[in-house]
Amino acid sequence: MGTRPGEGLRAYGLIVAMWVRSTLAYRTSFLLTALGNFAATGLDFLAILLMFSHVTALGGFSLPEVAFLYGTSGAALGLADLVLGSMDRLGARVRDGTMDVLLVRPVPVFAQVAADRFALRRLGRILQAALVLGWSLPRLDVDWTFGKVLLLPLMLLCGAVIFGAVFTIGAAFQFVAQDAAEVQNSFTYGGTTMLQYPPTVFAKDLVRGVTFVVPLAFVNWLPALRLLGRDDPLGLPGWVDFLGPAVAAAMCVLAWLAWRAGLRNYRSTGS
């Protein structure tokens, strides 16, 4: 952990490039797996379409508005999953002893874990979410000012960083509880499924939990409420909707501290 960030980024890029070359050596296989990823993630939106075949609004939100929530949460998770999705393999490395191999290499451990088995097929999730988001934008009843246009990419970037921090914190926890990958997935993949729906369909205690405990609401709920002109179900001050960058930065610091603590307390399996 004493290496400079630039060295870690360079190492990450080299490892990713190696896995991308390996993936593209079998292009048909890559296209099929990416298409499968695209189709599998699209089932969630199909479920939303089926709901709207029976109702005109969900929690007071129209189909384009729910599609907007779906697209922003899916794209944010997709970006984080592409870059850091391999972090959930850390528990398996701790159990089988291969974590020790990473420690003796002259490369930052975090870069090795994050880039391990980099899966280019995850682009399918990003593409599918982007298509739904693109479909929703011209159908929203929004007066697109410069500030609102700027809010959209900022929302996606901050959302990806928040999800990335959750991936990292979950990986750090696996230094202690090696079988905690599913717990991590409940906050990442489970979290994005929740964020695809309006906050108004959930109990206020749950909304408070994903606002103040695990701040997933800052991925898209709060900025989306501002963009769509909707009232906050918790009645929070309006300036809270713009705290996405601050929350993302705080989550990065927390993830860094958790990773350092986990790595320092790691004990080899001895195998």
Side-chain angles (χ1 to χ4, degrees), residues 31-247:
L31 290 173
L32 289 176
T33 54
L35 181 60
N37 191 271
F38 178 97
T41 56
L43 292 176
D44 289 337
F45 190 63
L46 179 60
I48 293 173
L49 291 176
L50 289 175
M51 284 188 225
F52 274 93
S53 68
H54 299 284
V55 299
T56 57
L58 186 62
F61 283 63
S62 65
L63 176 58
E65 290 172 327
V66 174
F68 177 76
L69 294 177
Y70 177 96
T72 51
S73 65
L77 176 69
L79 291 170
D81 192 31
L82 179 67
V83 177
L84 296 173
S86 298
M87 299 291 285
D88 61 3
R89 290 175 44 82
L90 189 139
R93 283 193 171 278
V94 172
R95 287 196 304 273
D96 62 24
T98 56
M99 184 68 191
D100 296 353
V101 177
L102 306 185
L103 292 171
V104 299
R105 291 174 179 168
V107 177
V109 176
F110 183 84
Q112 295 182 72
V113 174
D116 183 39
R117 298 185 182 277
F118 181 86
L120 197 62
R121 68 176 184 277
R122 291 173 177 147
L123 286 172
R125 176 189 290 273
I126 300 174
L127 176 60
Q128 191 270 334
L131 288 174
V132 173
L133 178 60
W135 176 87
S136 71
L137 290 177
R139 293 168 173 81
L140 295 174
D141 184 17
V142 174
D143 180 17
W144 289 101
T145 63
F146 176 77
K148 290 181 178 180
V149 171
L150 184 62
L151 183 61
L152 180 57
L154 186 63
M155 182 193 312
L156 295 176
L157 177 60
C158 292
V161 171
I162 291 171
F163 273 128
V166 175
F167 272 118
T168 303
I169 294 170
F173 183 59
Q174 290 182 56
F175 280 115
V176 179
Q178 292 88 12
D179 297 316
E182 292 306 317
V183 177
Q184 173 184 324
N185 292 342
S186 68
F187 287 103
T188 51
Y189 302 111
T192 194
T193 300
M194 179 182 65
L195 296 176
Q196 292 169 1
Y197 296 90
T200 49
V201 304
F202 298 102
K204 286 189 177 181
D205 286 342
L206 178 60
V207 178
R208 289 189 186 97
V210 295
T211 301
F212 302 112
V213 182
V214 182
L216 296 180
F218 291 91
V219 170
N220 70 339
W221 271 358
L222 291 173
L225 290 174
R226 167 68 58 173
L227 193 148
L228 297 174
R230 296 281 184 166
D231 293 330
D232 187 335
L234 298 181
L236 299 175
W239 53 265
V240 174
D241 299 341
F242 298 100
L243 288 182
V247 171

Side-chain angles (χ1 to χ4, degrees), residues 20-37:
V20 170
R21 286 196 298 271
S22 174
T23 299
L24 295 181
Y26 304 93
R27 296 187 180 183
T28 302
S29 175
F30 160 67
L31 290 173
L32 289 176
T33 54
L35 181 60
N37 191 271

